[in-house]
Amino acid sequence: MHITVAAVGRAKHKPEAELIAHYLKLTRWDITIKEIPDAPSNLSAEARRAREAEAIGKLITPTSRLFVMDSGGKSLTSEQFAALIQTAQRDATKHAVFAIGGQDGLCPELIKRAHGVIAFGAATWPHQL
């Protein structure tokens, strides 16, 4: 199974990019990080979310399984998160997309399309993490 992490924003600092590269080398998974450019700040929040969702949507095929990171999602333990990946593999999912929104979050229509909505706790983290 191929995993794509679609994250709005960029790993701007060299230490962040090095950390990402380090963890990608450690994993046994086939993972691609796709940085989605932030939509222009002169747009409304709704327009920014829509533009970012369009870019994320281009990464999703009819056979992809989409998971979105959203504060309103379900908090999972490490074991539950691993089980989610294992279930996707068992179901012969060829491609899983994990979407992380920008400063305005994710477009509600994209969240509705998701196979799962996941929260990494109540805190908001920098997207590079």
Side-chain angles (χ1 to χ4, degrees):
M1 175 173 69
H2 178 74
I3 297 172
T4 299
V5 176
V8 175
R10 298 211 175 270
K12 297 177 179 98
H13 304 288
K14 187 176 179 184
E16 294 165 346
E18 289 175 355
L19 187 60
I20 291 167
H22 171 74
Y23 277 102
L24 288 176
K25 285 180 188 175
L26 293 178
T27 184
R28 60 186 177 123
W29 305 102
D30 177 18
I31 300 175
T32 300
I33 306 295
K34 178 67 177 161
E35 294 176 327
I36 307 295
D38 293 302
S41 60
N42 64 337
L43 297 176
S44 69
E46 183 178 326
R48 282 193 301 271
R49 283 191 302 263
R51 186 175 287 189
E52 293 161 0
E54 182 181 341
I56 292 168
K58 290 178 182 178
L59 302 172
I60 303 166
T61 68
T63 58
S64 296
R65 196 172 274 196
L66 172 65
F67 300 95
V68 297
M69 306 297 124
D70 185 81
S71 61
K74 182 178 180 184
S75 292
L76 303 176
T77 65
S78 296
E79 292 81 9
Q80 290 169 320
F81 188 75
L84 180 125
I85 300 289
Q86 290 171 343
T87 299
Q89 284 185 305
R90 185 186 64 234
D91 294 345
T93 300
K94 297 206 182 304
H95 185 222
V97 177
F98 289 86
I100 303 169
Q103 67 181 7
D104 302 303
L106 290 164
C107 182
E109 289 78 20
L110 188 67
I111 294 171
K112 288 177 190 172
R113 290 177 56 190
H115 293 90
V117 183
I118 302 166
F120 285 138
T124 301
W125 295 86
H127 291 83
Q128 293 79 13
L129 292 176

